[in-house]
Amino acid sequence: MQPFIAAMSKVRQAFFAAIIRSLLRTKSLLQTILKIWISPSLIKGENVDASANGGAATSSSNGRKIGREEFMEIVEKAFKPSSSRERLEELSEGLKKQLLESLEDNQLCMLPSYNHQLPSGDERGNFLALDVGGSTFRVALIELPGREAAAGQEGRILKRATFKINNGVKQLKGVLFFDWMAERIEETLSGQSEGHDMSEAPLSMGLAWSFPIEQTSLRSGLLQGMGKGFLAAHGLLGQDLGDLIQASCSRRGLNVHLNAIVNDSSATLLSKAYSDPTTRFALILGTGVNAAIHLPVHVFSPPKFGVRPEEWHACARHVIVNTELSMFGTGILPSTIWDDALRAAHPNPTFQPLEHFVSGGYLGEIVRLVLIEGIQTAGLFGGVVPPSLTQPYTLETETISYMESDHTPTLEKATAIFTSRHPSPSSVPCLADIQAIHTIASYVSVRASALVATGVHALWSLRNDAEGFQSSPGEKTLVAYNGSVLENYPGFKGNCQRFLDGLVEGSGGVKGSVELVYAEESSLLGAAVAGAVAAGDS
Ligand code: BGC
């Protein structure tokens, strides 16, 4: 009898919660009753809101009602084994195979830039750096003083402005987006006095672009499809990004000259290499994920270089490569039913497989999908989904990152942040509910750090082969890193380093010999360095 009574009280709870929710949405009572009658699953609490899980059929318990503990065990089993050393080693092999194939024939990734030289450290002068990221556009006037004078610093920011790229801006199609950029540049430079007299020769600009691009020279590249919800490439695919930006700036009468474009991963590598010439790798993990690597040119099949001047080939022994790491992993990543659901609802599910598992754009959504199922099948949150979490991407990675930073047994800070962003109209979540989110978030973030480490390991191993090193270059390998997840997500970078150490050791290298080192303001500084390198080249 007991379970039946409990089930009935749950049904009643869900029924009243559904009515209150509907009334809150200012529907008439009649509409509410009709809705519940038409959709009996609402009162069974089976699927509080089908759109909440992206419409995909996710159920770890085959639709059975289960207890909280059983559910959490299922989640643990789904996520934890994918971070075992054995699985990561296998994955690294698989990724390396895909990376090697892309050196042969792939127009979307393992993209050789035009940067065949690392900065000498002698680059000096003032440059305007532009950084188009996943959620901000930053403009900065930067002074490069030369490696000696910089004394371990990458450069000096004289002036900077940050503009939010909200959904409205992301949806600007084609030239409208570049006009928006030019307006922001004008705003930043207006009243400019320090560093450059605008009546003089044009100010050199370097651009860090956090999207794929097919470079056609140091200052130009063909616009490719953009992820992260941006529509700027709409109608302009294959057009020259440098010309588009220059034209928008000219229309506003700005005395600037764009002389370098680099992907943000390459910018990170360049910025660190400016102060530390041994840098050969860079890793970005924020809204998106990517890595850049310095490779000998002989590993590419000739068509990968497109049409380049003879002089380029004559000088280039190595090249900085934008790997577009986000696009690897098809068919070999450890997908759970919640990852499947995420992809099922994604407008471009096959474009960036790795990114869907690891980046700030998705970690919150994976946690939300698991949580929704816990609410619906295991009675978390009293079986009622907080209204603000019914739509995809409503649980931000930032929220779970704050929650994970609370290590106290009472989780007061985690509770406060969660309830302020996602209040439950009918009840206050109990400690066990908050613990459940905390634990789910940790499974998702630890797996992400393991997968990112595996990507770096695969690249490290590929470079060792390409350079003819035995299992290791015999010196410390620096991986310059940047990006909100690596910088701010509690424990993420440490976990990533730990997994990397294990993989390096497992493949005959010395523990700690591949080290993640922070590259501060790497996109802006790298854009300036790219501008300076290009100025020296022309
Ligand atoms: C983009 C890359 C970029 C990375 C990090 C990915 O989504 O495709 O070009 O480097 O995000 O910003």
Side-chain angles (χ1 to χ4, degrees):
M1 242 2 226
Q2 281 301 347
F4 176 73
I5 292 169
M8 281 311 290
S9 99
K10 240 186 217 161
V11 165
R12 263 199 306 276
Q13 242 179 336
F15 178 78
F16 285 117
I19 289 187
I20 288 164
R21 271 204 316 279
S22 289
L23 285 173
L24 283 174
R25 287 186 203 122
T26 65
K27 293 245 166 81
S28 74
L29 185 60
L30 184 63
Q31 268 177 311
T32 306
I33 291 169
L34 258 174
K35 193 171 164 204
I36 292 171
W37 180 69
I38 293 167
S39 171
S41 64
L42 255 179
I43 44 175
K44 281 197 215 139
E46 272 170 7
N47 191 359
V48 179
D49 184 341
S51 67
N53 63 9
T58 62
S59 173
S60 54
S61 61
N62 299 323
R64 261 184 325 124
K65 294 275 177 214
I66 56 175
R68 180 187 296 268
E69 268 175 34
E70 191 183 343
F71 177 72
M72 293 307 288
E73 267 168 34
I74 292 174
V75 179
E76 181 176 358
K77 280 202 192 113
F79 282 95
K80 270 201 157 172
S82 46
S83 312
S84 74
R85 166 86 74 87
E86 213 180 28
R87 295 278 285 273
L88 297 182
E89 280 172 355
E90 252 172 51
L91 179 62
S92 177
E93 278 300 312
L95 285 172
K96 186 171 161 189
K97 190 163 166 275
Q98 295 185 352
L99 292 163
L100 284 167
E101 283 163 8
S102 298
L103 292 173
E104 282 300 310
D105 175 27
N106 190 330
Q107 292 312 308
L108 298 178
C109 27
M110 295 307 264
L111 305 170
S113 68
Y114 263 67
N115 294 84
H116 60 81
Q117 278 171 328
L118 289 168
S120 64
D122 290 334
E123 297 79 6
R124 289 188 181 81
N126 289 356
F127 298 87
L128 192 66
L130 312 177
D131 168 28
V132 181
S135 54
T136 52
F137 173 43
R138 299 189 308 152
V139 184
L141 189 66
I142 290 182
E143 181 197 351
L144 296 177
R147 186 176 290 149
E148 296 303 314
Q153 297 286 305
E154 282 84 37
R156 202 158 73 88
I157 298 182
L158 302 177
K159 176 170 187 168
R160 89 171 105 194
T162 300
F163 304 95
K164 188 141 186 59
I165 301 185
N166 58 24
N167 277 338
V169 177
K170 284 189 181 184
Q171 273 158 30
L172 291 175
K173 287 188 182 158
V175 168
L176 290 177
F177 179 78
F178 300 105
D179 287 347
W180 177 86
M181 278 177 67
E183 236 180 284
R184 304 289 79 77
I185 298 171
E186 183 176 37
E187 230 172 284
T188 312
L189 292 178
S190 62
Q192 173 62 47
S193 55
E194 199 186 351
H196 189 78
D197 179 349
M198 287 306 282
S199 60
E200 286 175 359
L203 183 58
S204 275
M205 294 196 299
L207 165 72
W209 184 246
S210 68
F211 304 93
I213 179 171
E214 185 187 336
Q215 300 245 205
T216 47
S217 77
L218 281 176
R219 70 159 300 273
S220 58
L222 307 182
L223 199 56
Q224 297 192 343
M226 296 164 76
K228 303 174 186 168
F230 281 67
L231 298 187
H234 190 93
L236 298 179
L237 280 181
Q239 291 207 28
D240 190 285
L241 177 62
D243 289 349
L244 286 163
I245 294 174
Q246 192 66 54
S248 290
C249 288
S250 301
R251 278 196 289 279
R252 298 202 82 81
L254 298 177
N255 189 19
V256 290
H257 178 69
L258 184 69
N259 67 346
I261 297 179
V262 275
N263 178 261
D264 56 347
S265 61
S266 309
T268 300
L269 201 161
L270 285 169
S271 83
K272 201 63 182 176
Y274 184 68
S275 60
D276 187 332
T278 63
T279 317
R280 294 292 181 273
F281 289 87
L283 174 66
I284 297 267
L285 182 61
T287 316
V289 64
N290 200 1
I293 174 174
H294 187 249
L295 280 179
V297 288
H298 69 76
V299 297
F300 290 90
S301 75
K304 287 282 297 191
F305 292 107
V307 183
R308 298 189 180 202
E310 267 314 303
E311 309 88 76
W312 190 89
H313 288 289
C315 303
R317 293 290 160 267
H318 282 80
V319 66
I320 295 181
V321 184
N322 165 16
T323 65
E324 286 297 336
L325 189 63
S326 66
M327 297 185 192
F328 290 89
T330 302
I332 54 174
L333 290 164
S335 202
T336 64
I337 53 168
W338 303 289
D339 300 298
D340 297 346
L342 185 146
R343 282 195 304 278
H346 196 285
N348 208 346
T350 54
F351 183 47
Q352 295 178 302
L354 180 66
E355 189 150 306
H356 296 162
F357 284 73
V358 302
S359 86
Y362 299 100
L363 296 180
E365 178 61 1
I366 305 172
V367 173
R368 189 191 72 92
L369 289 166
V370 181
L371 180 65
I372 297 286
E373 199 196 329
I375 294 174
Q376 293 175 348
T377 63
L380 270 54
F381 284 77
V384 182
V385 178
S388 60
L389 284 181
T390 55
Q391 294 306 312
Y393 297 94
T394 43
L395 181 58
E396 291 185 0
T397 299
E398 189 200 38
T399 306
I400 57 165
S401 136
Y402 282 139
M403 293 181 75
E404 267 213 66
S405 71
D406 186 345
H407 299 294
T408 65
T410 50
L411 293 178
E412 274 163 34
K413 186 178 135 204
T415 308
I417 185 88
F418 183 81
T419 50
S420 69
R421 295 183 176 191
H422 303 289
S424 297
S426 48
S427 62
V428 178
C430 63
L431 178 60
D433 292 331
I434 299 297
Q435 265 161 352
I437 307 181
H438 197 275
T439 307
I440 297 167
S442 78
Y443 294 151
V444 172
S445 67
V446 170
R447 181 187 69 166
S449 67
L451 298 181
V452 170
T454 309
V456 173
H457 177 260
L459 286 167
W460 173 78
S461 164
L462 181 146
R463 174 169 176 262
N464 289 346
D465 293 353
E467 295 284 12
F469 303 139
Q470 283 310 314
S471 62
S472 161
E475 64 191 37
K476 201 162 195 132
T477 304
L478 298 188
V479 180
Y481 77 82
N482 191 278
S484 54
V485 174
L486 278 164
E487 286 173 48
N488 306 323
Y489 201 110
F492 198 105
K493 188 233 136 190
N495 285 330
C496 198
Q497 182 70 60
R498 182 169 54 82
F499 285 115
L500 191 53
D501 285 347
L503 285 163
V504 166
E505 221 177 358
S507 49
V510 178
K511 181 176 171 192
S513 66
V514 185
E515 190 184 348
L516 300 172
V517 286
Y518 180 44
E520 196 178 349
E521 290 295 6
S522 63
S523 293
L524 285 173
L525 291 164
V529 172
V533 170
D537 217 61
S538 52

